[in-house]
Short mmCIF file of all heavy atoms in Angstrom, two decimals:
data_model
loop_
_atom_site.label_atom_id
_atom_site.label_comp_id
_atom_site.label_asym_id
_atom_site.label_seq_id
_atom_site.Cartn_x
_atom_site.Cartn_y
_atom_site.Cartn_z
N MET A 1 113.90 116.52 110.28
CA MET A 1 114.42 115.12 110.06
C MET A 1 113.30 114.29 109.48
O MET A 1 112.14 114.41 109.85
CB MET A 1 114.80 114.58 111.45
CG MET A 1 115.76 113.38 111.33
SD MET A 1 116.07 112.60 112.93
CE MET A 1 116.89 113.98 113.79
N SER A 2 113.63 113.41 108.55
CA SER A 2 112.61 112.61 107.90
C SER A 2 112.21 111.46 108.80
O SER A 2 112.99 111.03 109.64
CB SER A 2 113.10 112.10 106.54
OG SER A 2 114.11 111.13 106.75
N ASP A 3 111.03 110.95 108.63
CA ASP A 3 110.48 109.88 109.47
C ASP A 3 111.08 108.58 109.07
O ASP A 3 111.41 108.33 107.91
CB ASP A 3 108.97 109.85 109.30
CG ASP A 3 108.27 111.09 109.82
OD1 ASP A 3 108.73 111.61 110.88
OD2 ASP A 3 107.35 111.58 109.15
N LEU A 4 111.18 107.66 110.02
CA LEU A 4 111.65 106.34 109.78
C LEU A 4 110.44 105.54 109.14
O LEU A 4 110.65 104.73 108.20
CB LEU A 4 112.07 105.65 111.06
CG LEU A 4 112.70 104.28 110.96
CD1 LEU A 4 114.04 104.40 110.29
CD2 LEU A 4 112.91 103.72 112.37
N LEU A 5 109.30 105.80 109.63
CA LEU A 5 108.08 105.17 109.12
C LEU A 5 106.97 106.16 109.12
O LEU A 5 106.77 106.92 110.11
CB LEU A 5 107.71 103.95 110.02
CG LEU A 5 106.40 103.25 109.69
CD1 LEU A 5 106.49 102.53 108.38
CD2 LEU A 5 106.06 102.24 110.80
N ARG A 6 106.17 106.14 108.03
CA ARG A 6 105.04 107.08 107.95
C ARG A 6 103.84 106.26 107.45
O ARG A 6 103.88 105.66 106.39
CB ARG A 6 105.32 108.21 106.99
CG ARG A 6 104.32 109.37 107.05
CD ARG A 6 104.80 110.52 106.16
NE ARG A 6 106.13 110.97 106.61
CZ ARG A 6 107.07 111.49 105.80
NH1 ARG A 6 106.86 111.53 104.50
NH2 ARG A 6 108.22 111.88 106.21
N VAL A 7 102.81 106.18 108.26
CA VAL A 7 101.60 105.48 107.96
C VAL A 7 100.45 106.52 107.82
O VAL A 7 100.26 107.30 108.74
CB VAL A 7 101.19 104.45 109.03
CG1 VAL A 7 99.88 103.80 108.75
CG2 VAL A 7 102.29 103.43 109.18
N LYS A 8 99.79 106.48 106.70
CA LYS A 8 98.73 107.48 106.46
C LYS A 8 97.45 106.84 106.00
O LYS A 8 97.37 106.20 104.94
CB LYS A 8 99.24 108.46 105.37
CG LYS A 8 98.29 109.66 105.22
CD LYS A 8 98.90 110.74 104.26
CE LYS A 8 97.98 111.92 104.14
NZ LYS A 8 98.49 112.88 103.15
N ASP A 9 96.47 106.93 106.87
CA ASP A 9 95.11 106.44 106.60
C ASP A 9 95.06 105.01 106.14
O ASP A 9 94.40 104.67 105.15
CB ASP A 9 94.48 107.39 105.49
CG ASP A 9 92.97 107.25 105.44
OD1 ASP A 9 92.37 106.94 106.48
OD2 ASP A 9 92.36 107.53 104.36
N LEU A 10 95.81 104.16 106.92
CA LEU A 10 95.82 102.73 106.59
C LEU A 10 94.47 102.09 106.90
O LEU A 10 93.90 102.29 108.01
CB LEU A 10 96.94 102.05 107.38
CG LEU A 10 96.94 100.51 107.31
CD1 LEU A 10 97.39 100.09 105.91
CD2 LEU A 10 97.95 99.96 108.39
N LYS A 11 93.95 101.35 105.94
CA LYS A 11 92.73 100.60 106.14
C LYS A 11 92.94 99.15 105.82
O LYS A 11 93.63 98.85 104.83
CB LYS A 11 91.61 101.15 105.26
CG LYS A 11 91.27 102.65 105.48
CD LYS A 11 90.12 103.05 104.56
CE LYS A 11 89.73 104.52 104.77
NZ LYS A 11 90.66 105.46 104.11
N VAL A 12 92.43 98.26 106.65
CA VAL A 12 92.49 96.82 106.34
C VAL A 12 91.16 96.16 106.60
O VAL A 12 90.48 96.46 107.62
CB VAL A 12 93.54 96.10 107.24
CG1 VAL A 12 93.55 94.61 106.97
CG2 VAL A 12 94.90 96.75 107.11
N ALA A 13 90.64 95.42 105.64
CA ALA A 13 89.37 94.69 105.78
C ALA A 13 89.61 93.26 105.41
O ALA A 13 90.44 92.94 104.51
CB ALA A 13 88.29 95.37 104.90
N PHE A 14 88.85 92.38 106.06
CA PHE A 14 88.86 90.93 105.70
C PHE A 14 87.51 90.59 105.13
O PHE A 14 86.48 90.96 105.71
CB PHE A 14 89.12 90.14 106.98
CG PHE A 14 90.46 90.36 107.60
CD1 PHE A 14 90.61 91.19 108.71
CD2 PHE A 14 91.61 89.80 107.02
CE1 PHE A 14 91.82 91.45 109.26
CE2 PHE A 14 92.87 90.03 107.61
CZ PHE A 14 92.98 90.86 108.71
N GLU A 15 87.55 89.89 103.99
CA GLU A 15 86.30 89.39 103.41
C GLU A 15 86.04 87.99 103.96
O GLU A 15 86.72 87.05 103.62
CB GLU A 15 86.42 89.36 101.88
CG GLU A 15 86.68 90.73 101.23
CD GLU A 15 85.58 91.72 101.40
OE1 GLU A 15 84.45 91.30 101.78
OE2 GLU A 15 85.79 92.95 101.15
N LEU A 16 85.12 87.86 104.86
CA LEU A 16 84.81 86.65 105.51
C LEU A 16 83.51 86.03 105.03
O LEU A 16 82.69 86.79 104.44
CB LEU A 16 84.74 86.90 107.05
CG LEU A 16 85.94 87.51 107.67
CD1 LEU A 16 85.66 87.86 109.17
CD2 LEU A 16 87.20 86.70 107.46
N PRO A 17 83.32 84.77 105.14
CA PRO A 17 82.06 84.14 104.71
C PRO A 17 80.84 84.84 105.30
O PRO A 17 79.82 84.98 104.65
CB PRO A 17 82.18 82.67 105.23
CG PRO A 17 83.64 82.45 105.37
CD PRO A 17 84.26 83.77 105.73
N GLU A 18 81.00 85.29 106.52
CA GLU A 18 79.86 85.97 107.20
C GLU A 18 79.78 87.49 106.92
O GLU A 18 78.84 88.12 107.42
CB GLU A 18 79.90 85.76 108.76
CG GLU A 18 81.23 86.24 109.37
CD GLU A 18 82.28 85.18 109.46
OE1 GLU A 18 82.39 84.33 108.54
OE2 GLU A 18 83.06 85.18 110.44
N GLY A 19 80.71 87.95 106.09
CA GLY A 19 80.64 89.39 105.70
C GLY A 19 81.92 90.02 105.80
O GLY A 19 83.02 89.46 106.12
N ARG A 20 81.96 91.29 105.55
CA ARG A 20 83.20 92.11 105.49
C ARG A 20 83.51 92.63 106.93
O ARG A 20 82.63 93.25 107.56
CB ARG A 20 82.97 93.31 104.54
CG ARG A 20 84.15 94.23 104.41
CD ARG A 20 83.75 95.35 103.42
NE ARG A 20 84.79 96.42 103.35
CZ ARG A 20 85.81 96.36 102.54
NH1 ARG A 20 85.98 95.34 101.70
NH2 ARG A 20 86.69 97.36 102.54
N LEU A 21 84.70 92.44 107.36
CA LEU A 21 85.16 92.86 108.68
C LEU A 21 86.19 93.97 108.47
O LEU A 21 87.30 93.74 107.99
CB LEU A 21 85.75 91.72 109.46
CG LEU A 21 85.99 91.90 110.99
CD1 LEU A 21 86.10 90.59 111.69
CD2 LEU A 21 87.25 92.78 111.25
N GLU A 22 85.84 95.18 108.84
CA GLU A 22 86.73 96.33 108.73
C GLU A 22 87.58 96.40 109.97
O GLU A 22 87.16 96.92 111.00
CB GLU A 22 85.95 97.62 108.52
CG GLU A 22 85.22 97.61 107.15
CD GLU A 22 84.53 98.91 106.86
OE1 GLU A 22 84.37 99.75 107.77
OE2 GLU A 22 84.16 99.12 105.69
N ALA A 23 88.77 95.80 109.92
CA ALA A 23 89.62 95.61 111.05
C ALA A 23 90.38 96.90 111.44
O ALA A 23 90.59 97.19 112.60
CB ALA A 23 90.63 94.51 110.87
N VAL A 24 90.76 97.71 110.43
CA VAL A 24 91.45 98.96 110.62
C VAL A 24 90.76 100.02 109.73
O VAL A 24 90.73 99.83 108.51
CB VAL A 24 92.94 98.84 110.32
CG1 VAL A 24 93.68 100.17 110.52
CG2 VAL A 24 93.59 97.78 111.19
N ARG A 25 90.31 101.07 110.34
CA ARG A 25 89.49 102.04 109.59
C ARG A 25 90.19 103.38 109.45
O ARG A 25 89.60 104.42 109.71
CB ARG A 25 88.14 102.23 110.25
CG ARG A 25 87.36 100.91 110.35
CD ARG A 25 86.06 101.14 111.10
NE ARG A 25 85.42 99.88 111.37
CZ ARG A 25 84.30 99.79 112.15
NH1 ARG A 25 83.82 100.82 112.71
NH2 ARG A 25 83.79 98.60 112.36
N GLY A 26 91.48 103.35 109.03
CA GLY A 26 92.16 104.59 108.78
C GLY A 26 92.98 105.07 109.95
O GLY A 26 92.56 105.95 110.72
N ILE A 27 94.20 104.48 110.07
CA ILE A 27 95.10 104.92 111.15
C ILE A 27 96.33 105.66 110.51
O ILE A 27 96.74 105.26 109.46
CB ILE A 27 95.59 103.67 111.99
CG1 ILE A 27 96.45 104.16 113.12
CG2 ILE A 27 96.34 102.71 111.15
CD1 ILE A 27 96.81 103.04 114.11
N SER A 28 96.68 106.68 111.15
CA SER A 28 97.87 107.44 110.70
C SER A 28 98.82 107.68 111.90
O SER A 28 98.35 107.99 112.99
CB SER A 28 97.47 108.82 110.16
OG SER A 28 96.57 108.67 109.08
N PHE A 29 100.10 107.48 111.65
CA PHE A 29 101.10 107.76 112.69
C PHE A 29 102.48 107.79 112.01
O PHE A 29 102.64 107.41 110.89
CB PHE A 29 101.10 106.74 113.84
CG PHE A 29 101.39 105.35 113.45
CD1 PHE A 29 102.69 104.90 113.48
CD2 PHE A 29 100.40 104.48 113.06
CE1 PHE A 29 103.04 103.57 113.08
CE2 PHE A 29 100.70 103.15 112.72
CZ PHE A 29 102.01 102.68 112.74
N ARG A 30 103.41 108.43 112.74
CA ARG A 30 104.75 108.55 112.27
C ARG A 30 105.73 108.01 113.35
O ARG A 30 105.47 108.15 114.53
CB ARG A 30 105.13 109.97 111.96
CG ARG A 30 104.30 110.56 110.86
CD ARG A 30 104.28 112.09 110.83
NE ARG A 30 105.42 112.72 111.49
CZ ARG A 30 105.59 114.02 111.58
NH1 ARG A 30 104.70 114.83 111.07
NH2 ARG A 30 106.61 114.52 112.19
N VAL A 31 106.81 107.43 112.85
CA VAL A 31 107.89 107.04 113.78
C VAL A 31 109.16 107.74 113.41
O VAL A 31 109.62 107.63 112.27
CB VAL A 31 108.11 105.52 113.76
CG1 VAL A 31 109.18 105.11 114.76
CG2 VAL A 31 106.80 104.76 114.04
N ALA A 32 109.67 108.53 114.29
CA ALA A 32 110.91 109.26 114.05
C ALA A 32 112.07 108.30 114.24
O ALA A 32 112.04 107.35 114.95
CB ALA A 32 111.03 110.46 114.98
N PRO A 33 113.19 108.60 113.56
CA PRO A 33 114.44 107.74 113.77
C PRO A 33 114.76 107.71 115.26
O PRO A 33 114.82 108.82 115.90
CB PRO A 33 115.51 108.49 112.99
CG PRO A 33 114.74 109.20 111.92
CD PRO A 33 113.40 109.63 112.55
N GLY A 34 114.89 106.54 115.81
CA GLY A 34 115.19 106.39 117.21
C GLY A 34 113.98 106.52 118.15
O GLY A 34 114.14 106.41 119.34
N GLY A 35 112.83 106.78 117.54
CA GLY A 35 111.67 106.97 118.34
C GLY A 35 110.90 105.71 118.57
O GLY A 35 111.20 104.64 118.06
N THR A 36 109.91 105.79 119.42
CA THR A 36 109.07 104.64 119.82
C THR A 36 107.61 105.06 119.74
O THR A 36 107.31 106.15 120.18
CB THR A 36 109.42 104.17 121.21
OG1 THR A 36 110.76 103.84 121.33
CG2 THR A 36 108.53 102.98 121.62
N VAL A 37 106.81 104.20 119.11
CA VAL A 37 105.39 104.49 119.09
C VAL A 37 104.66 103.28 119.70
O VAL A 37 104.97 102.10 119.33
CB VAL A 37 104.91 104.72 117.64
CG1 VAL A 37 103.36 104.72 117.58
CG2 VAL A 37 105.43 106.05 117.16
N ALA A 38 103.79 103.45 120.59
CA ALA A 38 102.99 102.37 121.18
C ALA A 38 101.61 102.39 120.59
O ALA A 38 100.97 103.42 120.54
CB ALA A 38 102.97 102.50 122.68
N LEU A 39 101.13 101.24 120.16
CA LEU A 39 99.76 101.09 119.71
C LEU A 39 98.95 100.59 120.90
O LEU A 39 99.20 99.50 121.41
CB LEU A 39 99.61 100.07 118.56
CG LEU A 39 100.38 100.41 117.28
CD1 LEU A 39 100.16 99.30 116.27
CD2 LEU A 39 99.90 101.75 116.71
N VAL A 40 98.00 101.38 121.34
CA VAL A 40 97.25 101.11 122.56
C VAL A 40 95.80 100.95 122.23
O VAL A 40 95.23 101.76 121.50
CB VAL A 40 97.43 102.21 123.60
CG1 VAL A 40 96.66 101.87 124.85
CG2 VAL A 40 98.90 102.39 123.92
N GLY A 41 95.14 99.91 122.69
CA GLY A 41 93.71 99.75 122.49
C GLY A 41 93.25 98.46 123.02
O GLY A 41 94.04 97.55 123.34
N GLU A 42 91.93 98.32 123.11
CA GLU A 42 91.36 97.10 123.67
C GLU A 42 91.61 95.90 122.77
O GLU A 42 91.97 96.08 121.57
CB GLU A 42 89.90 97.27 123.95
CG GLU A 42 89.10 97.50 122.66
CD GLU A 42 87.62 97.83 122.97
OE1 GLU A 42 86.86 96.90 123.15
OE2 GLU A 42 87.28 99.00 123.06
N SER A 43 91.41 94.77 123.26
CA SER A 43 91.61 93.52 122.49
C SER A 43 90.71 93.57 121.29
O SER A 43 89.51 93.87 121.38
CB SER A 43 91.33 92.29 123.37
OG SER A 43 91.45 91.13 122.62
N GLY A 44 91.25 93.24 120.11
CA GLY A 44 90.44 93.24 118.93
C GLY A 44 90.33 94.56 118.16
O GLY A 44 89.62 94.67 117.19
N SER A 45 91.07 95.58 118.66
CA SER A 45 90.90 96.93 118.09
C SER A 45 91.79 97.11 116.86
O SER A 45 91.73 98.16 116.18
CB SER A 45 91.20 98.00 119.13
OG SER A 45 92.53 97.90 119.62
N GLY A 46 92.69 96.14 116.57
CA GLY A 46 93.43 96.24 115.30
C GLY A 46 94.91 96.43 115.44
O GLY A 46 95.58 96.61 114.45
N LYS A 47 95.46 96.35 116.68
CA LYS A 47 96.88 96.61 116.86
C LYS A 47 97.75 95.66 116.07
O LYS A 47 98.70 96.05 115.34
CB LYS A 47 97.22 96.55 118.36
CG LYS A 47 96.38 97.43 119.27
CD LYS A 47 96.75 97.29 120.72
CE LYS A 47 96.49 95.92 121.27
NZ LYS A 47 95.07 95.51 121.37
N SER A 48 97.44 94.41 116.18
CA SER A 48 98.26 93.39 115.48
C SER A 48 98.08 93.49 113.94
O SER A 48 99.08 93.30 113.24
CB SER A 48 97.89 91.98 115.97
OG SER A 48 98.34 91.76 117.33
N VAL A 49 96.88 93.74 113.52
CA VAL A 49 96.67 93.88 112.06
C VAL A 49 97.50 94.99 111.50
O VAL A 49 98.09 94.93 110.40
CB VAL A 49 95.13 94.03 111.75
CG1 VAL A 49 94.96 94.44 110.29
CG2 VAL A 49 94.43 92.73 112.09
N VAL A 50 97.60 96.14 112.23
CA VAL A 50 98.42 97.26 111.75
C VAL A 50 99.86 96.81 111.64
O VAL A 50 100.54 97.01 110.66
CB VAL A 50 98.30 98.49 112.70
CG1 VAL A 50 99.38 99.51 112.40
CG2 VAL A 50 96.91 99.04 112.61
N SER A 51 100.36 96.13 112.67
CA SER A 51 101.74 95.66 112.68
C SER A 51 102.00 94.65 111.57
O SER A 51 103.01 94.71 110.89
CB SER A 51 102.06 95.06 114.02
OG SER A 51 101.79 95.95 115.06
N HIS A 52 101.02 93.76 111.35
CA HIS A 52 101.22 92.79 110.34
C HIS A 52 101.21 93.40 108.92
O HIS A 52 101.98 92.98 108.03
CB HIS A 52 100.12 91.73 110.41
CG HIS A 52 100.17 90.86 111.65
ND1 HIS A 52 99.18 90.07 112.04
CD2 HIS A 52 101.18 90.75 112.59
CE1 HIS A 52 99.49 89.44 113.19
NE2 HIS A 52 100.72 89.88 113.56
N ALA A 53 100.35 94.42 108.77
CA ALA A 53 100.33 95.13 107.49
C ALA A 53 101.69 95.76 107.16
O ALA A 53 102.21 95.63 106.07
CB ALA A 53 99.23 96.17 107.47
N LYS A 54 102.25 96.39 108.17
CA LYS A 54 103.53 97.12 107.92
C LYS A 54 104.72 96.13 107.75
O LYS A 54 105.72 96.54 107.17
CB LYS A 54 103.79 98.09 109.03
CG LYS A 54 102.76 99.24 109.17
CD LYS A 54 102.33 99.78 107.86
CE LYS A 54 103.49 100.40 107.06
NZ LYS A 54 103.05 100.81 105.69
N THR A 55 104.60 94.93 108.34
CA THR A 55 105.72 93.97 108.12
C THR A 55 105.39 93.00 106.95
O THR A 55 106.19 92.14 106.71
CB THR A 55 105.96 93.19 109.40
OG1 THR A 55 104.76 92.71 109.96
CG2 THR A 55 106.59 94.09 110.45
N GLY A 56 104.28 93.16 106.34
CA GLY A 56 104.01 92.38 105.15
C GLY A 56 103.55 90.96 105.43
O GLY A 56 103.82 90.07 104.56
N ILE A 57 103.04 90.68 106.59
CA ILE A 57 102.65 89.27 106.88
C ILE A 57 101.20 89.10 107.15
O ILE A 57 100.77 88.21 107.84
CB ILE A 57 103.48 88.79 108.11
CG1 ILE A 57 103.26 89.65 109.37
CG2 ILE A 57 104.96 88.68 107.79
CD1 ILE A 57 103.86 89.01 110.62
N LEU A 58 100.39 89.99 106.57
CA LEU A 58 98.93 89.69 106.60
C LEU A 58 98.62 88.54 105.76
O LEU A 58 99.24 88.26 104.75
CB LEU A 58 98.14 90.95 106.01
CG LEU A 58 97.81 92.06 106.95
CD1 LEU A 58 97.09 93.15 106.17
CD2 LEU A 58 97.01 91.66 108.10
N PRO A 59 97.63 87.73 106.12
CA PRO A 59 97.26 86.54 105.30
C PRO A 59 96.70 87.04 103.95
O PRO A 59 96.13 88.08 103.88
CB PRO A 59 96.17 85.85 106.11
CG PRO A 59 95.63 86.85 107.03
CD PRO A 59 96.77 87.80 107.32
N1 ADP B 101 93.45 86.85 109.59
C1 ADP B 101 92.30 87.42 109.99
N2 ADP B 101 91.16 87.15 109.40
C2 ADP B 101 90.00 87.64 109.81
N3 ADP B 101 89.88 88.55 110.77
C3 ADP B 101 90.99 88.88 111.44
C4 ADP B 101 92.27 88.34 111.06
N4 ADP B 101 93.23 88.91 111.91
C5 ADP B 101 92.55 89.71 112.71
N5 ADP B 101 91.25 89.75 112.48
C6 ADP B 101 90.22 90.56 113.13
O1 ADP B 101 90.65 91.92 113.08
C7 ADP B 101 90.33 92.57 114.27
C8 ADP B 101 91.55 93.18 114.87
O2 ADP B 101 92.34 92.10 115.38
P1 ADP B 101 93.78 92.32 116.02
O3 ADP B 101 94.58 93.28 115.20
O4 ADP B 101 94.34 90.92 116.23
O5 ADP B 101 93.42 93.05 117.44
P2 ADP B 101 94.42 93.39 118.62
O6 ADP B 101 95.84 93.01 118.23
O7 ADP B 101 94.24 94.86 118.79
O8 ADP B 101 93.93 92.61 119.81
C9 ADP B 101 89.57 91.58 115.20
O9 ADP B 101 88.19 91.70 114.93
C10 ADP B 101 90.11 90.27 114.65
O10 ADP B 101 89.14 89.20 114.87
MG1 MG B 102 97.23 91.67 119.12
#
């Protein structure tokens, strides 16, 4: 069965006045139709940035 969502080696960095912040350094996962995937990690580890990237609402 084909995946509903496939993320492969996603990287996101922000160019800030104080320097480059590598917020996501290569995440890969798949979501099967009807499946659920939980992003788990400490605060600031990049969970929201991954979600924003996939929904197209990164600044
Ligand atoms: N718009 C943004 N500009 C600059 N840095 C950001 C921005 N959004 C998130 N970050 C930084 O990216 C990192 C990951 O943040 P975030 O995805 O919100 O973490 P989580 O959701 O896992 O708590 C943090 O260091 C955060 O400060
Ligand atoms: Mg968050």
Side-chain angles (χ1 to χ4, degrees):
M1 197 186 300
S2 70
D3 298 319
L4 188 65
L5 175 67
R6 193 173 300 147
V7 175
K8 188 172 180 185
D9 199 26
L10 173 68
K11 300 182 178 79
V12 179
F14 297 100
E15 301 293 346
L16 305 176
E18 58 269 34
R20 180 179 172 87
L21 191 160
E22 294 185 345
V24 179
R25 301 177 188 173
I27 184 174
S28 302
F29 60 91
R30 296 161 23 181
V31 183
T36 301
V37 170
L39 299 178
V40 180
E42 65 186 274
S43 180
S45 61
K47 305 179 297 292
S48 290
V49 170
V50 169
S51 304
H52 294 168
K54 296 318 299 174
T55 49
I57 57 170
L58 274 180

